[in-house]
Amino acid sequence: MKMTKGTIANIERAKKEWESTFDAVSDLISIHDNKFRIIRANKACARKFNISPKELIGRHCYELFHGTVGPIDECPQAKSFQTGENTHLEWADPRTGTTYDISVYPLFDDDNKVRNIIHVVKDITMLKRVEKELRTLNEKMLQRNRDLHVAIEKAREEAEISKDILAISREVMDVMDPAFLLKNVAVISSKMFNPDIIMTFLWNKDREIYVQVSATGAEHVLSMNPDNFPPLGEVLRTKSLIFIENGDDPLLHQGVISSLPLNAMSIIPFLVRNKVVGFIINCYYSPRSFTFKDRHIMEGMGYQISLALNNAYLYRDSMEKTMELSYKVETIEVMHEIDRGILALINRNEILEKVSYMLGNLIPCNGIIILLMDNEANGFRYAAGWGIELPKGEITSFDDINYSEFLKPPRIVVRTELKAEDIVPFDSKLYKMGVRSDIRIPLFSGNEVAGVLNILSHRIAGFTTSQLNTIEMIASQISVALDNARLVEDLQELLIGTTISLAGAIEAKSPWTKGHSERVTEYAMTIGRQMGLTEKELENVTLQ
């Protein structure tokens, strides 16, 4: 068939349009024969190798693209020649570090055999870099999401922990009794941690041991120390929480808890001024692993209880100091009142009676006895006091009271426990009245013993050291009062004697006036007694 000029022109025009399109593509496009030789290439391909498209013709593709003397092992066009299918390969050039996306499309002849290969190469280096950065960024975002999730969970858990610790704080901060406080703690801990056995202990400074405050499941463990409870030694050494999660741990099977089939334990110490003043023990029969939440709540509990105990001890100390100060002020006031009473009163019995009641207001006791020496009666006369069934003025012989025990030589006697057996008659009377302890202090007039002050209590060891000091000071004041009363009595006797002597001297001058003063005094005393005058008033009549 003969083509016309118009047809040829159209073909030429179509060819130019195809070649323009072919060359305009930025990807590297080339057509290879079955010998891997380039038979056609676009300008992008020529620019890649810095030669003209014509110079590419006949060159082997593997030589240009891979710098090898033959096809590479994973060559996609070799595969397409064999399979007749489109093939794809992503390949990184080790020489330049450039990454290519290679796509191969087979061209078939009339017999449906692969005649040529269209070879399309895209430079995806930047794309791969961006993809890598995106993957890295995505991994970072995923990690941050995971971290955020962990942080949220941790924050939620810590919020729950804080809530539980706050609840503990609210329960205990206003409790000022350490023992009652630990009983509350045991209830809280039982609800939170569900132990099989729970015990609380407080330090007892008198016994120098930790004494049980409360217990559930191990009531027989009444006290603890490092010798009978080895885990306590570790707590005292570290001053921190102890967790035992291994049922084979020897610490679980020693001392006072050795008989208990335990598999786990926690010990929460309570510290005041860096000293372990108490602790709570949670014990489990079944294996138990303490979680992050468990540990932090227990740690918070230990801190809050330590604060509460510190407040309780500070409150107790302040109350004790306040009471001590109040007691000292009251002592000073009573002693001042005694001084005023001594100055205002002259009669020794009145002074002693007033002092005995003042002393009873100051010292917690069940009775006071003031006995005065009566050498003529060879005993003691009950001069003043209260709280006992003895008539005033009753004489108790020296033998019945065993006075040599505290008067020869004079000394203070503190008896912490009176017993029914082997006691003298006077002490037997006191015992029958319920007296179980007392203090006896000698009273002086001048350098001589004038009597004894006896303070009585129905309790065993009913008096403290500070009370003894107060009693000693008041006994000293009583001695001063007795001394003053003796001086006043001596002065009165001297005055009366002098008056009688003067009256006798005057009356001796006349037989008619002799004995007149004595008779007038006798008549006046008789009339006063008939009128019911007191001894003090009769004494005044005598002096006048």
Side-chain angles (χ1 to χ4, degrees):
M1 178 179 175
K2 186 176 180 179
M3 292 184 292
T4 64
K5 289 182 178 181
T7 302
I8 294 172
N10 289 334
I11 293 173
E12 287 292 333
R13 186 170 56 253
K15 175 183 178 186
K16 288 180 180 180
E17 289 176 355
W18 181 86
E19 287 177 348
S20 296
T21 303
F22 186 68
D23 288 334
V25 177
S26 60
D27 295 336
L28 282 61
I29 302 176
S30 57
I31 300 174
H32 307 165
D33 63 13
N34 58 7
K35 300 296 185 181
F36 300 97
R37 290 175 297 195
I38 299 172
I39 59 176
R40 184 75 177 175
N42 68 351
K43 290 182 179 180
C45 191
R47 286 195 297 269
K48 168 68 178 175
F49 301 110
N50 200 23
I51 57 177
S52 66
K54 289 183 178 180
E55 292 177 303
L56 287 174
I57 304 304
R59 301 283 297 271
H60 290 96
C61 64
Y62 49 78
E63 176 188 349
L64 292 171
F65 284 96
H66 308 300
T68 60
V69 295
I72 60 175
D73 292 338
E74 62 269 32
C75 180
Q77 63 181 339
K79 187 175 182 181
S80 287
F81 273 120
Q82 293 175 358
T83 63
E85 296 177 353
N86 298 341
T87 311
H88 177 268
L89 172 67
E90 189 176 287
W91 178 74
D93 189 344
R95 299 170 298 173
T96 62
T98 306
T99 303
Y100 298 100
D101 180 83
I102 304 173
S103 297
V104 174
Y105 307 95
L107 296 174
F108 300 93
D109 58 14
D110 293 339
D111 296 329
N112 204 28
K113 292 182 179 181
V114 178
R115 183 182 63 184
N116 295 319
I117 292 290
I118 298 175
H119 193 271
V120 181
V121 179
K122 294 181 179 181
D123 186 344
I124 60 171
T125 303
M126 185 61 68
L127 178 62
K128 298 303 290 186
R129 186 178 301 159
V130 171
E131 286 181 352
K132 183 178 180 182
E133 290 177 354
L134 286 174
R135 281 197 303 272
T136 302
L137 181 60
N138 188 48
E139 289 176 358
K140 288 182 178 179
M141 291 298 294
L142 290 174
Q143 184 59 45
R144 287 182 181 178
N145 285 337
R146 288 192 291 268
D147 293 343
L148 180 60
H149 179 72
V150 171
I152 291 172
E153 289 299 317
K154 186 175 181 181
R156 184 180 291 113
E157 190 172 26
E158 288 179 349
E160 292 177 359
I161 291 171
S162 298
K163 181 180 177 181
D164 290 337
I165 293 173
L166 180 60
I168 294 170
S169 177
R170 287 174 177 169
E171 288 288 334
V172 303
M173 288 310 292
D174 293 332
V175 180
M176 292 296 122
D177 178 16
F180 185 69
L181 188 151
L182 287 198
K183 290 179 181 178
N184 284 356
V185 172
V187 174
I188 295 169
S189 185
S190 180
K191 291 178 180 178
M192 285 188 170
F193 308 114
N194 196 30
D196 297 300
I197 297 171
I198 186 167
M199 297 174 281
T200 59
F201 292 83
L202 271 178
W203 175 252
N204 185 303
K205 64 180 181 180
D206 295 327
R207 295 173 58 188
E208 294 188 346
I209 200 171
Y210 290 96
V211 177
Q212 183 196 98
V213 175
S214 64
T216 301
E219 290 79 359
H220 67 286
V221 184
L222 300 179
S223 63
M224 282 190 176
N225 58 51
D227 293 331
N228 68 8
F229 186 56
L232 179 56
E234 187 67 14
V235 171
L236 296 177
R237 185 183 66 82
T238 62
K239 294 184 174 63
S240 61
L241 285 76
I242 296 294
F243 297 98
I244 302 175
E245 299 174 312
N246 182 3
D248 295 328
D249 194 314
L251 289 177
L252 283 175
H253 310 291
Q254 296 180 17
V256 293
I257 63 169
S258 60
S259 61
L260 303 173
L262 302 181
N263 273 286
M265 176 191 297
S266 71
I267 305 175
I268 308 171
F270 309 132
L271 275 67
V272 174
R273 302 184 187 96
N274 204 37
K275 175 180 173 60
V276 178
V277 298
F279 50 89
I280 182 169
I281 305 174
N282 296 309
C283 301
Y284 301 86
Y285 293 136
S286 301
R288 168 71 183 262
S289 294
F290 296 98
T291 64
F292 171 86
K293 182 178 179 181
D294 291 337
R295 292 171 183 265
H296 278 71
I297 290 178
M298 288 183 184
E299 183 178 1
M301 173 184 283
Y303 180 74
Q304 292 296 331
I305 304 306
S306 295
L307 285 179
L309 284 173
N310 186 56
N311 291 340
Y313 287 134
L314 287 175
Y315 175 78
R316 185 186 65 184
D317 292 344
S318 65
M319 289 301 296
E320 288 178 353
K321 290 184 182 300
T322 300
M323 292 177 65
E324 182 181 352
L325 180 60
S326 176
Y327 180 75
K328 288 181 178 179
V329 171
E330 187 177 358
T331 300
I332 293 172
E333 290 177 349
V334 169
M335 293 182 70
H336 177 64
E337 190 66 26
I338 291 173
D339 286 336
R340 290 176 57 189
I342 290 172
L343 294 174
L345 301 173
I346 295 176
N347 184 279
R348 76 169 64 190
N349 288 335
E350 291 181 3
I351 293 173
L352 297 178
E353 203 68 54
K354 185 177 182 69
V355 169
S356 70
Y357 279 94
M358 287 182 176
L359 186 55
N361 292 333
L362 185 61
I363 304 295
C365 60
N366 299 104
I368 292 177
I369 303 173
I370 299 179
L371 303 172
L372 296 181
M373 294 277 287
D374 191 331
N375 290 318
E376 293 182 0
N378 195 35
F380 290 102
R381 177 172 53 83
Y382 178 30
W386 56 272
I388 59 169
E389 300 171 4
L390 290 177
K392 297 291 174 64
E394 179 175 294
I395 299 295
T396 300
S397 70
F398 292 145
D399 293 334
D400 287 347
I401 202 170
N402 194 16
Y403 79 104
S404 61
E405 182 184 61
F406 55 93
L407 295 184
K408 292 185 178 181
R411 65 188 182 90
I412 299 172
V413 173
V414 179
R415 299 188 293 182
T416 58
E417 183 177 5
L418 295 180
K419 296 183 179 180
E421 62 274 10
D422 300 327
I423 54 178
V424 295
F426 185 76
D427 291 344
S428 179
K429 287 182 181 179
L430 297 181
Y431 186 86
K432 290 177 182 178
M433 295 178 194
V435 177
R436 293 298 178 267
S437 62
D438 70 347
I439 297 176
R440 288 178 174 177
I441 300 180
L443 302 174
F444 294 88
S445 178
N447 294 323
E448 296 182 354
V449 175
V452 60
L453 172 63
N454 201 173
I455 316 294
L456 312 173
S457 175
H458 290 170
R459 295 183 297 114
I460 295 173
F463 302 101
T464 65
T465 303
S466 61
Q467 291 170 349
L468 176 59
N469 294 334
T470 300
I471 294 170
E472 284 187 82
M473 290 189 291
I474 293 177
S476 178
Q477 283 186 295
I478 295 173
S479 296
V480 172
L482 291 175
D483 209 23
N484 290 345
R486 181 182 60 80
L487 292 174
V488 170
E489 289 171 359
D490 290 346
L491 184 61
Q492 286 180 339
E493 290 177 3
L494 178 61
L495 177 61
I496 292 172
T498 302
T499 302
I500 293 173
S501 296
L502 288 172
I506 294 171
E507 293 173 355
K509 293 181 179 181
S510 170
W512 303 101
T513 59
K514 185 176 182 180
H516 173 71
S517 297
E518 287 86 349
R519 290 191 296 275
V520 171
T521 299
E522 184 177 346
Y523 292 146
M525 293 291 284
T526 302
I527 294 170
R529 291 192 183 95
Q530 291 296 322
M531 292 174 63
L533 298 181
T534 64
E535 290 297 322
K536 176 66 176 176
E537 291 170 331
L538 291 174
E539 184 180 332
N540 291 335
V541 169
T542 301
L543 293 174
Q544 294 175 2

